[in-house]
Amino acid sequence: MKVRNIDIDFSTANIFWTPETPEFAQFWNATSTFLPYLEPFLNQAVREGMGTLSSDGSDDQLRDDCRIFMAQEGQHYRNHEKFNKKLRESGYPQLSDREAVMKADYDRYQEKKSLRFRLAYAEGFETLGPILACYFLEAARELQDPTVDDPTADLWRWHLAEEYEHRHVCNYLFHRLYPPHWYRVFGIVYAGRHMLTYMFRTAAYLLREDRRAGQIDDPWRSRLRLVGVGGRMLSYALPRLFKSALPSYDPIKIPPPARSMDVLERAETLWPRKRGKPTNPA
Ligand SMILES: [Fe+2]
Ligand SMILES: [Fe+2]
């Protein structure tokens, strides 16, 4: 695990970065829109959890991993923020209001919910992370298309490869602080429902605007493609998510997605943060 200082230039990015299947791109674009609220929330929970670890040396490795986790998440949401700005400037007048609902949810959780709840939520998201990484990097047929070459595809490949890389951090921290297993399952169900509902509803909204603006020709074919995109992803992710809720789950044992190290090297080569450009602390 390491921190990569990435700064992607989205000036040439297309909103439909999978041109043959705009519905796939809009699903991930919708997902991008709430990450600048989710990932700082995860970092806050990990920071607070890390502060309760033992100082006798036995938790030093976990503490170091927590620090890298927070720095990686900080890199992720700053790059998503840049992409999201481009998305908002491309139309979609209700998008800010939709994002505000998620921001208000995370603000409320931060203010009112226990650290156990917030870390269980974080672990719910982080359990989905390596599953989506394997789906995106190995299985999604929309990405096998040779016309997919876009900074936004690079953003997601790099982000998800790092989600795979730090997959164990929230899990180990949660189990270190809150050993009973059932509450982790609650976190997976709660976070999964909360996030997936937003992702699918927001994707449907973006596509409605695209159809209204004449960006997508055949509305029924588009709706069918969206059902295909969602159905293929859920049929890949849900059985793996159920399996990962078992007490025997250990994220460190998940085999790496194909080409994940190549993806990470490519991100560092193509999109390094230029010297002198400031990075805010995570
Ligand atoms: Fe992330
Ligand atoms: Fe993560």
Side-chain angles (χ1 to χ4, degrees), residues 42-53:
L42 304 182
N43 276 359
Q44 186 59 32
V46 168
R47 189 177 293 112
E48 284 178 42
M50 189 178 82
T52 68
L53 291 175

Side-chain angles (χ1 to χ4, degrees):
M1 265 173 81
K2 69 174 203 174
V3 183
R4 297 171 186 85
N5 220 345
I6 301 295
D7 185 23
I8 298 177
D9 175 5
F10 293 101
S11 55
T12 62
N14 294 298
I15 300 303
F16 295 168
W17 45 274
T18 47
E20 298 296 319
T21 321
E23 296 75 14
F24 182 89
Q26 289 290 43
F27 173 79
W28 290 95
N29 294 346
T31 303
S32 175
T33 62
F34 81 106
L35 297 182
Y37 314 109
L38 167 68
E39 291 185 317
F41 167 77
L42 304 182
N43 276 359
Q44 186 59 32
V46 168
R47 189 177 293 112
E48 284 178 42
M50 189 178 82
T52 68
L53 291 175
S54 152
S55 52
D56 66 3
S58 60
D59 287 329
D60 285 358
Q61 181 64 53
L62 182 54
R63 194 179 284 106
D64 288 348
D65 288 353
C66 287
R67 289 198 183 98
I68 296 176
F69 173 98
M70 291 188 289
Q72 287 189 340
E73 296 294 14
Q75 295 285 332
H76 299 166
Y77 73 76
R78 278 185 211 101
N79 280 280
H80 281 280
E81 251 164 14
K82 286 177 71 179
F83 172 78
N84 296 349
K85 184 168 181 289
K86 178 164 186 133
L87 184 65
R88 282 193 295 268
E89 287 169 357
S90 308
Y92 315 111
Q94 287 176 22
L95 192 50
S96 300
D97 290 346
R98 287 172 174 273
E99 290 178 25
V101 173
M102 289 302 261
K103 180 179 184 310
D105 282 350
Y106 292 123
D107 287 348
R108 183 166 49 83
Y109 298 159
Q110 182 61 41
E111 203 182 317
K112 300 226 158 87
K113 298 283 192 180
S114 65
L115 180 58
R116 184 171 80 139
F117 171 89
R118 288 180 282 127
L119 273 177
Y121 188 111
E123 166 55 4
F125 171 72
E126 291 293 319
T127 302
L128 200 54
I131 297 172
L132 292 182
C134 292
Y135 179 70
F136 200 91
L137 295 171
E138 290 180 350
R141 71 184 194 197
E142 293 82 357
L143 295 168
Q144 313 305 319
D145 184 335
T147 61
V148 178
D149 178 20
D150 193 283
T152 314
D154 287 342
L155 165 73
W156 279 110
R157 288 188 179 110
W158 156 67
H159 184 168
L160 289 166
E162 286 194 349
E163 288 300 322
Y164 171 80
E165 195 177 40
H166 69 220
R167 64 200 177 280
H168 64 290
V169 177
C170 277
N171 184 274
Y172 286 13
L173 182 60
F174 183 80
H175 282 300
R176 177 75 184 75
L177 300 181
Y178 306 108
H181 173 259
W182 67 269
Y183 201 77
R184 175 177 172 262
V185 178
F186 165 77
I188 293 173
V189 173
Y190 189 101
R193 186 205 59 79
H194 184 233
M195 294 183 300
L196 287 169
T197 303
Y198 175 83
M199 287 147 75
F200 277 105
R201 283 187 181 162
T202 304
Y205 162 70
L206 296 177
L207 290 161
R208 273 200 305 280
E209 291 289 348
D210 292 334
R211 290 195 284 269
R212 209 190 320 259
Q215 302 283 337
I216 292 178
D217 292 336
D218 186 336
W220 280 106
R221 202 163 279 205
S222 171
R223 286 186 189 104
L224 281 175
R225 281 197 302 263
L226 181 62
V227 170
V229 164
R232 282 190 295 278
M233 196 198 68
L234 289 177
S235 65
Y236 182 94
L238 288 181
R240 288 167 174 79
L241 196 60
F242 290 135
K243 251 175 107 174
S244 66
L246 297 173
S248 57
Y249 173 73
D250 181 354
I252 213 76
K253 292 182 183 161
I254 303 172
R259 298 182 291 108
S260 62
M261 289 316 292
D262 296 345
V263 162
L264 293 172
E265 276 169 29
R266 177 183 155 91
E268 281 188 296
T269 307
L270 270 184
W271 305 112
R273 187 174 296 277
K274 300 275 187 310
R275 242 174 231 279
K277 255 188 123 177
T279 310
N280 300 325

